[in-house]
Amino acid sequence: MRFKIIFNTVGILLKYVSLMFIFPVISALCFLEYNSILPFVTGGIGCFLIASLFCKNDAKEKDFDTVTRMEGFASVILCWLMFGLVCTIPLLFYDLSFINALFEAFSGVSTTGATVILDYSLYPKTFFIYRALMQWFGGMGIIVLFIAVLPKFAVAGRQMFFAESPNPTEEKITPRIRYTASWLWSIYILLTAIQIIALKFLGMSYYDAICDSLSTISAGGFSNRPSSLIGLDDKIVYTVGFFAFLAGVNFLLTYKVIIKGKIFELFKSEEFKTYFNIVLLSTVLIAAILYFGYEYDLKDSFKNAFYETVVTITSTGSCSADYSTWPLRAKICMFCLMFIGGSAISASGSIKLTRWIYVVKFIKRELKKMAHPSAIIPVKLEQRIVQADIGQQIIIFVMFFVGIFAVSSILVAFIEQDVTTAITGSIATLSNTGPAFDNIIGPLGNYSTMSIPTKLIFIFNMFIGRLEIIPFLALFNKELWEKRN
């Protein structure tokens, strides 16, 4: 493990991250919120100084062409850790304690959308623009962004790309990872711009449209309104829901459809078809539960069922209704969706559909092999055979995801003496969804009343949930520290 390369990589990335703080400064000037300039100037300078410390022992450019898998994992983990820490700096200027600022920052960069904010009226518009920006940069991934803009990462980028955005088939849309990363960010920016224009056309102010679009395309969920989308026009709710759905689609597939014009790729993708069918069936089921067991009429039942289904499976986490008051059956459906997630190479969190498709096919294969022990039956995803080592990683990922959920639920239940908060809060943070189901941390609640140990557990959940666990687990493998692979 060559720490010089890892630290230098983090330093280079943080220097570019420091430019992110320019945007809230511009926002403060536009909104005449001059008191909000200092927090973000301080954050930008602080980020640059920290970056300079990491770059003190500059690695040679040729070293980046020999980055190992383990060094890629370590670089990604440290980059995300430092990204969350530097994003904490400006929040300290808004009378948030260090733990609360840390929680809000990691909730933002991990696109979780859980908040500790109590009174939204106490904060300026620039504060909410910054929260949305954290999510937006975290949604596609800072590693993917800097692979796209830094030629230096031509070879090292492959290790880091698949560490941050794992895909069982390792599919690319161009031969070079750098160009793939560039196209992914182009699609991401395009979808964001289209949503801003659409929401503005529907009557939103540019401020609201920008905040909602940055939070939706990133599958984040932070809102600049305490009630999120509750009470807004149905057209706005459906529009945001549609873009949340797109945030859960594999961006490689989106590229093929939008840029290449290959619309029929949608019908060839088993991942997309599974995603679409789950959203459709869940929407119909929850709508029926709300219509027959709640006070909604048919129109509101379908609207809220569609929106909450989409934002839950994609881990977006905003809300069109206070679903903490819904019938238990509806909440059970949403609870299950939190474990599913959207597509691979998307902004969504949780386990993700590709892995579940593999698990189902793996189980079917093992059942067949019981009857035919000598049969060689490969498992395929998107018409590609999944290699045995990749399949093992998928199984391990699912096991550890469930294991971390169970352990954090037990710990939080012991600390808070509240099983509902523990279980729903653990999956909401680990899946990067944000709001849970009870009155305390539900869609209209917040995490401010949680104890410091509980907040630290949830911060850990959000962090490794965004990393998708495997890079984190790899650090505990002694062989990976010793071998160059």
Side-chain angles (χ1 to χ4, degrees):
M1 181 83 77
R2 293 167 296 176
F3 290 100
K4 180 172 67 173
I5 295 177
I6 296 170
F7 290 154
N8 192 253
T9 299
V10 176
I12 293 170
L13 184 139
L14 287 179
K15 283 183 178 179
Y16 283 88
V17 166
S18 65
L19 298 176
M20 180 189 76
F21 295 96
I22 294 174
F23 295 103
V25 170
I26 295 173
S27 171
L29 293 172
C30 291
F31 293 124
L32 305 181
E33 296 172 347
Y34 301 118
N35 290 335
S36 290
I37 294 176
L38 179 60
F40 301 106
V41 170
T42 304
I45 293 174
C47 182
F48 188 84
L49 291 176
I50 293 171
S52 300
L53 292 176
F54 275 97
C55 290
K56 193 171 182 181
N57 296 315
D58 192 33
K60 297 178 181 178
E61 188 161 338
K62 65 179 182 179
D63 293 333
F64 289 95
D65 295 338
T66 60
V67 169
T68 66
R69 187 183 183 191
M70 187 59 209
E71 289 165 349
F73 281 156
S75 298
V76 167
I77 291 172
L78 191 54
C79 282
W80 277 99
L81 179 62
M82 294 308 302
F83 183 39
L85 289 174
V86 297
C87 285
T88 303
I89 297 172
L91 299 176
L92 296 172
F93 287 80
Y94 290 95
D95 296 326
L96 292 174
S97 67
F98 176 74
I99 292 298
N100 281 347
L102 192 70
F103 186 97
E104 199 77 8
F106 273 93
S107 180
V109 300
S110 66
T111 72
T112 302
T115 185
V116 293
I117 301 302
L118 288 169
D119 186 352
Y120 281 54
S121 66
L122 298 177
Y123 301 92
K125 290 181 178 179
T126 301
F127 175 84
F128 295 107
I129 289 286
Y130 175 64
R131 291 204 315 164
L133 276 170
M134 284 194 295
Q135 292 194 322
W136 192 73
F137 278 102
M140 176 57 71
I142 52 173
I143 306 299
V144 176
L145 173 61
F146 295 109
I147 289 171
V149 300
L150 295 177
K152 178 180 289 193
F153 288 136
V155 176
R158 180 178 177 83
Q159 300 287 9
M160 297 172 68
F161 180 90
F162 288 112
E164 181 184 60
S165 305
N167 183 12
T169 62
E170 294 203 358
E171 179 185 6
K172 305 184 295 295
I173 55 180
T174 66
R176 295 187 178 182
I177 284 293
R178 185 188 172 198
Y179 295 152
T180 296
S182 299
W183 274 113
L184 288 176
W185 264 93
S186 297
I187 293 293
Y188 193 63
I189 293 170
L190 177 63
L191 292 176
T192 305
I194 293 173
Q195 186 181 351
I196 292 172
I197 295 170
L199 293 179
K200 176 60 181 174
F201 177 78
L202 292 173
M204 270 193 170
S205 66
Y206 274 117
Y207 164 64
D208 289 328
I210 290 171
C211 286
D212 282 324
S213 298
L214 295 179
S215 294
T216 302
I217 297 300
S218 64
F222 269 152
S223 177
N224 56 313
R225 299 174 299 273
S227 56
S228 194
L229 269 66
I230 296 176
L232 297 188
D233 186 88
D234 288 358
K235 292 178 182 179
I236 291 177
V237 174
Y238 277 114
T239 299
V240 176
F242 172 72
F243 281 96
F245 177 84
L246 293 181
V249 176
N250 190 315
F251 284 113
L252 300 182
L253 181 62
T254 304
Y255 166 84
K256 293 176 184 177
V257 173
I258 295 179
I259 304 300
K260 294 294 186 179
K262 298 179 179 179
I263 187 71
F264 291 105
E265 290 290 335
L266 290 174
F267 307 103
K268 294 179 182 178
S269 171
E270 62 179 333
E271 182 183 48
F272 178 79
K273 288 187 289 187
T274 304
Y275 175 51
F276 181 84
N277 289 332
I278 289 176
V279 169
L280 179 61
L281 293 174
S282 299
T283 297
V284 172
L285 178 58
I286 294 175
I289 293 171
L290 296 178
Y291 180 69
F292 291 106
Y294 203 59
E295 70 268 17
Y296 290 144
D297 57 21
L298 184 60
K299 184 184 73 169
D300 285 341
S301 294
F302 185 82
K303 177 192 71 174
N304 291 312
F306 164 73
Y307 189 83
E308 298 304 338
T309 292
V310 169
V311 299
T312 302
I313 194 172
T314 61
S315 75
T316 301
S318 52
C319 65
S320 64
D322 182 8
Y323 53 77
S324 66
T325 63
W326 284 4
L328 181 60
R329 291 184 180 90
K331 289 190 281 189
I332 290 174
C333 292
M334 293 174 62
F335 181 76
C336 294
L337 291 173
M338 284 187 176
F339 282 91
I340 297 175
S343 307
I345 314 294
S346 73
S348 68
S350 196
I351 293 175
K352 295 190 176 175
L353 277 167
T354 302
R355 294 190 179 100
W356 282 120
I357 293 171
Y358 176 85
V359 169
V360 171
K361 289 185 175 183
F362 176 82
I363 292 172
K364 287 182 178 179
R365 185 190 70 173
E366 294 305 305
L367 292 175
K368 287 181 181 178
K369 290 184 70 173
M370 288 181 183
H372 307 281
S374 301
I376 299 176
I377 309 171
V379 177
K380 293 184 177 180
L381 289 175
E382 306 293 352
Q383 290 80 52
R384 290 190 174 107
I385 295 176
V386 179
Q387 299 300 319
D389 58 335
I390 300 297
Q392 290 173 359
Q393 286 183 19
I394 292 174
I395 300 298
I396 290 171
F397 178 96
V398 175
M399 291 174 60
F400 271 98
F401 187 95
V402 175
I404 292 170
F405 160 70
V407 171
S408 62
S409 295
I410 292 170
L411 291 175
V412 174
F414 181 81
I415 295 168
E416 301 294 335
Q417 299 292 294
D418 187 332
V419 175
T420 301
T421 297
I423 293 175
T424 62
S426 293
I427 186 57
T429 51
L430 184 59
S431 66
N432 300 138
T433 301
F437 295 107
D438 60 9
N439 293 327
I440 302 173
I441 55 176
L444 298 182
N446 59 77
Y447 287 75
S448 62
T449 59
M450 299 292 101
S451 63
I452 290 178
T454 296
K455 288 176 182 174
L456 291 175
I457 292 171
F458 286 160
I459 289 171
F460 174 78
N461 282 358
M462 292 187 286
F463 179 62
I464 63 171
R466 180 59 186 84
L467 286 174
E468 302 219 3
I469 299 176
I470 294 297
F472 178 79
L473 294 177
L475 293 181
F476 296 95
N477 188 335
K478 184 179 178 181
E479 293 182 3
L480 284 176
W481 286 80
E482 297 172 348
K483 293 171 61 177
R484 293 177 60 85
N485 48 77

